C-alpha cells in the first residue's frame, strides 16, 4: 500500500458518446509497490472489460497512494465535486453526513448477500450498510526461521514465551528481536493487535457494547508489559518503537534483521523476494492464542451525481467472483465475498495456499470500530501519541487515559 501514481487516468470506452452516455468517476487507493504493479494496472484491465460490454457507460479512474487518497476524496467532497465511487479507508463520516447511497440501493441482492457477513456488519452506520468492503487482511506473527534455529527456539504461544524468545534472539545479536512499530504510519494496527492479545473481554479499543475503553485495566496491563518486558529490556531493536514505522519494520524483516513481528499478507512477497525463510503463527496472547485483528478497506457510492443504476451495475461487475479473486491474488489480500473466499480456500495454487493462515483467521477477527464517525480522530491520536506509552519515563496509564479522553470527546461531538 505504497507509491502514489499521482495521476488521473481517463479510460477510453467502446460505447457511443451521445448525450445519453453516463461517465462514472472512481477514486481508488494504490495497493502496489511501484507503478509497474500499481492498482491502475488492475483498474485499467477491469474497466476495459466492463466498458466493452456496456457501451453506454464510461468509467474514469484516479488512483492515489494511501498517503493521499483519503485527503483527495475529502477535498473533492468539500469542493462540491464528489466522485461517484471512492475506494478508501473510512466511510462513516460520509454516511453520517447523508452523502452516500446505502449499499442496498446500488448492489444487487445477490452481490450484497455474497459479501462476508462480518465485513458487511462492519460497514454499517446506524444499522444500515453504507461501507462496502473492498479488500481485507488479518495479522499473524511472522518469524525468521533461520534466526530461530540459530537461537534454538520455537515460535511463541504466550507473552512469556515471546519475551524469552526475544531475549534468546538478542543474545545471538539479532538487531530487532521483536519489531514493535508504534510510529505514526500505522501505530493504530500494532496497538490494536496488542490490545486484543491482552484482552479477556472487549474488542481492543472498545468494550463488548461498542463504547471506547482504551484506558481499561486490561489495556493498561498490556502496555505496562510491553514497556517493562520488551522495550525496557532492549528487546525491540535500536529504533524507538514510537519512531519505527510499519514499512520500515517490514523492510528490516525482509533484510533478515528481525526475529519476529506482526505482519499482514504483503510481507509474504517482500520476504520471499529477499530469500528470507519465515514461518507464520497466530499472535500469542497473555496466556495463549489471541484474537486476531482484521482490517478492511471500503468502497462507497456518493449520491451527489445520481447514477445509482449505473453505479450498481458496475459494482456487481467489480464484485464478481472472478474479479474479486483477481484483485486478491494480485495484491496478496483476502477476498471480501464468500464465493471468492471459498474458491481460494479450495485452491491448490501456491499463491492461494500461502494466504490460508490469514484466511482462516478472518471469520473470528476483530476490526477497527470503523462504524464510529469518531474513529478517524481516535486513530490519528493513537498514531501520534501511543509510542510515548512505552518510551523511557513514559506512562502507559497516562497515555491511554489521554487517548480515552480524546475518544470520549470525539464521540460526544459526533453524537451532538
Amino acid at each position: 500500500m505504497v507509491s502514489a501514481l499521482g495521476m488521473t487516468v481517463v479510460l477510453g470506452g467502446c460505447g457511443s458518446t451521445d448525450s445519453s452516455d453516463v461517465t462514472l468517476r472512481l477514486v481508488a487507493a494504490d495497493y502496489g509497490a511501484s507503478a509497474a504493479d500499481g492498482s491502475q494496472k488492475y483498474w485499467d484491465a477491469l474497466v476495459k472489460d466492463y466498458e466493452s460490454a456496456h457501451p453506454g457507460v464510461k468509467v474514469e479512474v484516479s488512483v492515489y497512494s494511501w498517503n493521499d487518497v483519503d485527503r483527495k476524496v475529502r477535498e473533492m467532497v468539500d469542493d462540491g465535486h464528489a466522485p461517484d465511487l471512492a475506494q478508501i479507508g473510512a466511510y462513516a463520516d460520509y454516511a453520517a453526513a447523508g452523502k452516500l447511497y446505502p449499499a442496498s440501493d446500488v448492489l444487487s441482492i445477490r452481490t450484497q448477500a455474497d459479501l462476508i457477513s462480518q465485513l458487511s456488519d462492519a460497514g454499517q452506520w446506524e444499522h444500515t450498510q453504507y461501507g462496502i468492503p473492498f479488500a481485507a487482511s488479518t495479522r499473524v506473527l511472522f518469524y525468521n526461521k533461520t534466526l530461530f534455529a540459530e537461537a534454538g527456539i520455537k515460535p511463541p504461544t504466550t507473552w512469556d514465551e515471546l519475551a524469552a524468545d526475544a531475549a534468546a534472539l538478542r543474545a545471538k545479536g539479532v538487531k530487532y528481536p521483536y519489531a514493535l512499530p508504534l510510529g505514526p504510519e500505522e501505530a493504530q494496527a500494532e496497538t490494536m493487535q496488542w490490545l486484543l492479545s491482552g484482552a479477556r473481554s472487549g474488542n481492543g479499543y472498545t468494550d463488548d457494547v461498542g463504547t471506547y475503553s482504551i484506558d481499561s485495566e486490561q489495556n493498561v496491563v498490556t502496555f505496562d508489559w510491553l514497556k517493562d518486558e520488551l522495550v525496557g529490556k532492549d528487546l525491540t531493536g535500536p529504533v524507538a518503537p514510537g519512531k519505527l514505522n510499519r514499512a520500515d519494520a517490514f523492510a528490516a524483516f525482509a533484510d533478515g534483521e528481525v526475529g519476529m513481528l506482526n505482519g499482514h499478507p504483503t510481507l509474504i512477497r517482500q520476504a520471499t523476494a529477499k530469500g528470507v525463510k519465515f514461518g507464520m503463527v497466530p499472535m500469542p496472547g497473555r496466556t495463549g492464542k489471541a484474537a486476531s485483528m482484521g482490517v478492511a478497506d471500503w468502497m462507497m457510492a456518493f449520491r451527489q451525481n445520481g447514477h445509482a443504476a449505473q453505479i450498481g451495475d458496475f459494482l456487481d461487475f467489480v464484485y464478481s467472483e472472478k474479479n474479486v479473486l483477481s484483485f486478491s491474488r494480485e495484491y496478496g489480500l483476502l477476498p471480501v465475498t464468500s464465493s471468492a473466499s471459498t474458491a481460494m480456500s479450495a485452491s491448490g495454487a501456491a499463491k492461494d495456499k500461502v494466504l490460508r493462515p490469514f484466511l482462516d483467521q478472518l471469520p473470528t477477527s476483530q476490526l477497527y470500530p470503523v462504524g464510529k464517525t469518531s474513529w478517524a480522530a481516535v486513530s490519528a491520536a493513537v498514531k501520534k501519541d501511543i509510542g510515548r506509552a512505552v518510551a523511557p519515563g513514559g506512562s502507559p496509564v497516562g497515555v491511554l487515559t489521554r487517548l480515552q479522553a480524546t475518544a470520549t470527546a470525539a464521540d460526544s461531538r459526533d453524537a451532538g
Side-chain angles (χ1 to χ4, degrees), residues 142-225:
F142 282 71
Y143 67 96
N144 185 310
K145 287 185 173 181
T146 302
L147 298 179
F148 266 59
E150 291 172 352
I153 55 178
K154 297 186 296 184
T157 60
T158 66
W159 284 3
D160 288 345
E161 291 177 4
L162 187 148
D165 283 352
L169 291 163
R170 181 175 179 272
K172 287 292 185 177
V174 175
K175 188 173 182 179
Y176 294 90
Y178 178 87
L180 183 65
L182 295 177
E185 178 197 1
E186 204 183 33
Q188 82 285 0
E190 184 74 12
T191 297
M192 181 164 171
Q193 183 59 81
W194 276 101
L195 296 184
L196 290 172
S197 76
R200 292 189 174 92
S201 63
N203 301 307
Y205 289 109
T206 59
D207 61 22
D208 288 332
V209 296
T211 302
Y212 284 114
S213 57
I214 299 172
D215 63 347
S216 68
E217 181 181 355
Q218 65 188 14
N219 290 347
V220 172
V221 168
T222 294
F223 268 83
D224 279 339
W225 187 88

Side-chain angles (χ1 to χ4, degrees), residues 203-274:
N203 301 307
Y205 289 109
T206 59
D207 61 22
D208 288 332
V209 296
T211 302
Y212 284 114
S213 57
I214 299 172
D215 63 347
S216 68
E217 181 181 355
Q218 65 188 14
N219 290 347
V220 172
V221 168
T222 294
F223 268 83
D224 279 339
W225 187 88
L226 284 173
K227 181 177 184 292
D228 296 340
E229 301 301 323
L230 288 188
V231 182
K233 294 184 177 178
D234 197 23
L235 300 179
T236 55
V239 179
K243 296 187 180 300
L244 181 64
N245 281 328
R246 188 269 309 164
D248 296 327
F250 278 20
F253 186 86
D255 287 338
E257 298 177 334
V258 175
M260 51 186 160
L261 83 171
N262 284 316
H264 55 65
T266 302
L267 185 53
I268 295 173
R269 183 185 299 183
Q270 285 183 253
T272 301
K274 291 289 190 76

Side-chain angles (χ1 to χ4, degrees), residues 62-75:
S62 306
V63 174
Y64 298 92
S65 79
W66 278 103
N67 293 327
D68 301 320
V69 68
D70 290 288
R71 173 183 56 80
K72 195 69 179 178
V73 172
R74 171 63 61 193
E75 290 173 353

Side-chain angles (χ1 to χ4, degrees), residues 70 74 86 88-101 119-133 296-302 367-373 375-376:
D70 290 288
R74 171 63 61 193
I88 52 177
Y91 65 86
D93 50 348
Y94 297 120
K99 295 184 180 298
L100 302 181
Y101 284 114
L119 301 178
S120 291
D121 290 346
Q124 293 183 6
W125 179 77
E126 292 197 342
H127 310 294
T128 297
Q129 184 184 356
Y130 293 92
I132 306 167
D297 302 323
W298 304 95
M299 182 74 77
M300 60 212 70
F302 284 86
L367 279 72
Y368 299 132
V370 290
K372 287 178 167 289
T373 56
W375 169 241

